[in-house]
């Protein structure tokens, strides 16, 4: 299943990481520390700490001509600093009413049964991926000269762990911050008695540090210290940067070097979970002894099927090597892969039916994004132009979409059934829901549920179908679209194809789209994108249709269709596409 990368550098998704330390101009030293005010009941007490006094990081030299190590030269810097939370949980609710409205963030304060809210300053939170410019980082060389000054974003849902044994055994909060451009609502939080990793790094932006010894000082920006009543703690870390060649880089593996994350460009490209791109990789997660998860993912000429940022944690990506992933002991750092749910022991019996008042899912399609013209992927026809894109169908609830597939002995297809449950979780009905089919193509190799969504390229009149594409899907909860809706599940199962979609010899499969989550399918695989060779330049619309055959029962079918305007230009072999914003969302 190993396939080569075909691009310069690694355009990697900003998984729940709030993200990278972006290098800016050198400035003056950080201010001195100050005392934090006392935290009243129901108010979290926050403190910035360093897990280790010393970190070793590897500097890699990328080689654009080597598909196994195409990355830029530099250090992928993870300093191991954490935001500790005590006295009360840190909880933030981030929402927008529509794509025409700005993002609004509130802090939720819990004191026993009493719940109050505190509005964060307007404009402070700009997306659903992180608190921007949360960290300030100063790097000085052995001579004491500041050589880099950085700012870093922070996702409170980042990799986390308990501070002490009497802290809650599990965290109620999600394990990632959504970076899907059409997210509508998020919940961020760090449990009382827990700490969340504030460090992250971006594989597109390694820090350019030469091999040597450094002193790194990290602090929280004043605007956040004032907002959350924090002292100006400034943990200092001794950083050792060592040179690692592209050839020998993999010997560094996961590092094991005082908290440094010594990942090669190939092994560091961790599992993401969108269809087409990341689903193909995710199927390899948990397989011990694999060389590196990134080798199973193919990138086209523009990083073609670069995945949607996933709903998985920063720690999951950092692990890089598949055998470090999973639900084993000690995985309190967010590296957990949620297991699949098992299908019923046998297919349903008795007359199919659903009580009128039973809760049902509400499938909604999002506008397409990540739209680009490519010359195709392996398996496409050479010399043609293709319009590729990403699309997502999500479940607004109030009930999950639960579909079981049962296989007759020797049959090529599974018979599918949709299940329905009352408010207490008791199954109260079922209905036939088409079929599931085994997809044997390399990079897929799992059971697909048919008729979940379809795609069409429409003419300027928004009615005439120019091209049509229809795909079967293995359902997985790849993106947190709105965790503020009723009954949203902040810890969904079926997040990973390694467990969610069965094997060729499976006799039954359960596929679930949980409330609040969506399933991204990246249309870059051969036969999935639209062949636009010979199409006249002009205006078109990408139409995404959820539940196109109406085989699934849901609360509302009037929100199943979305449109995204695109304008084609250029000449054959050099086609272009421009994509106007959707209200305030400029995500081409």
């Amino acid at each position: 299943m190993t396939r080569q990368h075909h691009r310069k550098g690694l355009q990697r998704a900003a998984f729940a990481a709030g993200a990278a330390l972006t290098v800016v101009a050198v400035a003056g030293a950080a201010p001195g520390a100050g005392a934090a005010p006392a935290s009243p009941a129901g108010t979290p007490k926050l403190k910035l700490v360093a897990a280790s006094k010393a970190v070793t990081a590897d500097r890699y030299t990328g080689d654009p001509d080597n598909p196994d190590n195409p990355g830029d030269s530099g250090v992928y810097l993870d300093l191991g600093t954490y935001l500790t939370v005590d006295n009360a949980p840190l909880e933030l609710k981030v929402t927008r009413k529509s794509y025409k409205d700005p993002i609004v963030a509130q802090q939720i304060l819990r004191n026993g049964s009493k719940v109050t809210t505190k509005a964060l300053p307007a404009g402070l939170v700009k997306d659903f991926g992180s608190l921007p410019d949360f960290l300030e980082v100063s790097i000085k060389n052995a001579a004491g000269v500041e050589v880099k000054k950085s700012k870093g974003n922070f996702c409170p849902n980042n990799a986390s762990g308990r501070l002490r044994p009497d802290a809650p055994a599990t965290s109620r909060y999600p394990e990632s911050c959504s970076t899907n451009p059409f997210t509508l609502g998020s919940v961020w939080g760090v449990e009382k008695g827990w700490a969340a990793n504030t460090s992250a790094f971006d594989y597109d932006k390694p820090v350019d540090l030469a091999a040597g010894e450094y002193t790194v000082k990290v602090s929280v920006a004043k605007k956040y210290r004032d907002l959350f009543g924090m002292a100006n703690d400034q943990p200092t870390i001794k950083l050792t940067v060592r040179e690692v060649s592209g050839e020998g880089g993999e010997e560094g593996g996961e590092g094991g070097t005082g908290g440094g994350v010594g990942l090669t460009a190939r092994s560091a490209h961790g599992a993401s979970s969108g269809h087409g791109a990341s689903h193909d990789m995710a199927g390899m997660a948990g397989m011990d002894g694999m060389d590196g998860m990134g080798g199973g993912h193919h990138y086209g000429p523009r990083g073609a099927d670069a995945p949607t940022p996933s709903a998985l944690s920063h720690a999951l990506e950092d692990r890089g090597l598949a055998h470090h992933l999973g639900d084993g002991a000690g995985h309190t750092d967010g590296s957990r892969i949620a297991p699949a749910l098992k299908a019923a022991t046998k297919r349903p019996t008795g007359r199919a039916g659903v009580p009128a008042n039973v809760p049902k899912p509400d499938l909604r399609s999002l506008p397409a994004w990540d739209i680009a013209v490519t010359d195709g992927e392996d398996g496409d026809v050479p010399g043609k132009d293709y319009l590729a894109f990403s699309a997502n169908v999500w479940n607004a609830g109030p009930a999950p979409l639960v579909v079981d597939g049962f296989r007759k002995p020797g049959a090529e297809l599974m018979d599918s059934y949709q299940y329905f449950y009352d408010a207490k979780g008791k199954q109260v009905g079922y209905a036939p829901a088409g079929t599931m089919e085994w997809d044997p193509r390399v990079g897929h190799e799992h059971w697909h549920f048919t008729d979940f969504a379809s795609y069409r390229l429409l003419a300027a009149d928004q009615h005439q179908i120019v091209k049509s594409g229809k795909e079967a899907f293995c359902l997985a909860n790849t993106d947190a679209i709105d965790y503020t809706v009723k009954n949203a599940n902040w810890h969904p199962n079926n997040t990973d194809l390694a467990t969610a979609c069965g094997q060729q010899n499976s006799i039954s499969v359960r596929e679930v789209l949980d409330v609040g989550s969506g399933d991204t399918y990246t249309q870059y695989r051969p036969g999935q994108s639209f062949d636009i060779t010979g199409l006249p330049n002009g205006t078109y619309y990408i139409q995404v249709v959820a539940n196109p055959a109406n085989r699934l029962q849901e609360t509302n079918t009037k929100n199943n269709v979305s449109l995204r305007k695109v304008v084609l230009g250029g000449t054959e072999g050099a086609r272009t596409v421009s994509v106007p914003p959707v209200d305030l969302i400029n995500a081409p």
Side-chain angles (χ1 to χ4, degrees):
M1 292 176 64
T2 299
R3 301 161 76 183
Q4 300 296 320
H5 294 283
H6 291 278
R7 60 177 306 197
K8 294 182 179 180
L10 289 174
Q11 179 182 345
R12 82 34 137 174
F15 285 60
L21 302 174
T22 304
V23 177
V24 296
V26 172
S39 298
T43 302
K45 181 179 180 181
L46 309 182
K47 182 178 179 63
L48 183 68
V49 301
S52 176
K53 294 181 179 180
V55 168
T56 299
D58 292 334
R59 174 184 172 85
Y60 291 97
T61 303
D63 181 359
D65 297 323
N66 180 357
D68 284 345
N69 182 31
D72 297 326
S73 298
V75 178
Y76 303 123
L77 195 60
D78 192 338
L79 297 170
T81 54
Y82 284 78
L83 183 72
T84 66
V85 176
D86 223 332
N87 195 56
L90 171 65
E91 182 175 332
L92 302 173
K93 182 179 179 181
V94 187
T95 60
R96 61 180 165 211
K97 293 180 180 179
S98 73
Y99 300 134
K100 297 180 180 179
D101 297 292
I103 293 173
V104 175
Q106 294 178 313
Q107 183 178 3
I108 309 300
L109 301 170
R110 301 183 183 275
N111 184 10
S113 60
K114 182 180 179 181
V115 179
T116 58
T117 61
K118 172 185 175 182
L120 271 62
L124 176 66
V125 177
K126 299 175 175 59
D127 57 38
F128 293 89
S130 61
L131 292 169
D133 296 339
F134 185 85
L135 284 185
E136 296 177 345
V137 180
S138 171
I139 304 176
K140 294 182 179 181
N141 62 17
V145 177
E146 186 174 53
V147 293
K148 301 290 180 185
K149 190 172 180 65
S150 313
K151 291 186 178 181
N153 303 337
F154 171 55
C155 164
N157 295 349
N158 207 353
S160 59
R162 294 192 298 166
L163 292 171
R164 56 178 189 272
D166 63 338
T170 59
S171 171
R172 79 191 81 177
Y173 297 107
E175 296 178 50
S176 69
C177 295
S178 178
T179 49
N180 185 301
F182 292 101
T183 300
L184 288 163
S186 291
V187 176
W188 298 342
V190 183
E191 194 63 78
K192 173 185 175 181
W194 283 57
N197 192 329
T198 64
S199 296
F201 52 88
D202 191 326
Y203 294 114
D204 276 342
K205 300 174 182 177
V207 180
D208 188 13
L209 290 176
E213 301 293 327
Y214 298 87
T215 300
V216 184
K217 183 175 289 185
V218 185
S219 62
V220 173
K222 186 177 185 303
K223 61 183 176 182
Y224 291 107
R225 299 199 309 267
D226 293 343
L227 181 63
F228 297 124
M230 297 180 62
N232 188 15
D233 300 299
Q234 299 182 21
T236 299
I237 302 107
K238 296 295 183 182
L239 171 65
T240 299
V241 175
R242 62 185 182 185
E243 193 79 32
V244 179
S245 69
E247 292 297 323
E250 291 203 30
E251 295 177 4
E254 183 105 18
T257 52
V261 185
L263 301 179
T264 66
R266 182 155 60 122
S267 67
H269 200 76
S272 56
S273 53
H275 276 288
S278 40
H279 270 201
D280 303 336
M281 277 177 58
M284 295 181 287
M287 296 172 63
D288 287 350
M290 286 200 60
D291 180 45
M293 297 184 68
H297 183 61
H298 177 65
Y299 282 90
R302 58 169 287 277
D305 48 3
T308 301
S310 152
L312 300 179
S313 72
H314 164 56
L316 175 61
E317 184 180 27
D318 282 356
R319 288 303 176 271
L321 298 177
H323 62 269
H324 287 279
L325 303 174
D327 300 315
H331 284 253
T332 58
D333 59 357
S335 63
R336 174 179 177 268
I337 296 177
L341 297 170
K342 293 183 178 180
T345 54
K346 58 183 178 180
R347 65 180 64 215
T349 58
R351 175 176 291 185
V354 185
N357 60 345
V358 72
K360 297 182 179 68
D362 180 9
L363 302 181
R364 303 182 182 184
S365 62
L366 298 179
W369 76 98
D370 191 26
I371 300 167
V373 174
T374 79
D375 56 4
E377 289 289 301
D378 293 344
D380 281 325
V381 179
K384 288 183 174 288
D385 295 314
Y386 294 89
L387 184 65
F389 58 95
S390 293
N392 183 291
V393 172
W394 72 288
N395 180 7
L401 172 65
V402 180
V403 179
D404 277 0
F406 296 94
R407 189 178 188 180
K408 295 177 181 177
E412 296 295 325
L413 298 176
M414 289 188 181
D415 299 320
S416 297
Y417 301 89
Q418 181 182 1
Y419 290 83
F420 303 89
Y421 303 84
D422 63 17
K424 296 182 179 180
K426 179 183 177 181
Q427 182 189 321
V428 293
Y430 79 93
T435 60
M436 291 185 186
E437 62 185 13
W438 175 257
D439 190 334
R441 292 176 294 174
V442 173
H444 291 266
E445 298 176 310
H446 42 238
W447 288 93
H448 281 173
F449 172 56
T450 58
D451 293 320
F452 176 68
S454 65
Y455 312 102
R456 303 180 181 110
L457 185 64
L458 306 182
D461 63 5
Q462 300 186 19
H463 296 290
Q464 180 186 354
I465 299 175
V466 178
K467 296 283 182 179
S468 184
K470 184 178 180 181
E471 277 292 329
F473 298 86
C474 168
L475 302 183
N477 298 294
T478 68
D479 295 53
I481 301 301
D482 193 345
Y483 274 8
T484 68
V485 297
K486 182 180 179 180
N487 295 337
N489 184 358
W490 296 352
H491 296 273
N493 288 285
N494 289 70
T495 60
D496 176 71
L497 293 194
T499 56
C501 303
Q503 307 296 323
Q504 188 172 10
N505 59 357
S506 296
I507 195 69
S508 61
V509 173
R510 169 160 289 190
E511 298 185 5
V512 177
L513 189 62
D514 229 315
V515 178
S517 290
D519 191 351
T520 289
Y521 206 104
T522 306
Q523 302 292 323
Y524 285 97
R525 288 289 172 196
Q528 295 176 348
S529 52
F530 296 125
D531 181 356
I532 58 172
T533 308
L535 278 186
N537 290 339
T539 298
Y540 296 86
Y541 290 86
I542 296 175
Q543 183 188 60
V544 181
V545 184
N547 191 17
N550 288 320
R551 290 184 176 176
L552 298 171
Q553 296 192 35
E554 48 177 322
T555 58
N556 182 10
T557 59
K558 295 181 179 179
N559 50 26
N560 287 17
V561 179
S562 64
L563 296 172
R564 189 72 193 271
K565 182 178 180 179
V566 297
V567 181
L568 297 180
T571 59
E572 187 171 340
R575 300 299 295 273
T576 63
V577 60
S578 60
V579 186
V582 177
D583 299 320
L584 296 179
I585 312 302
N586 186 13

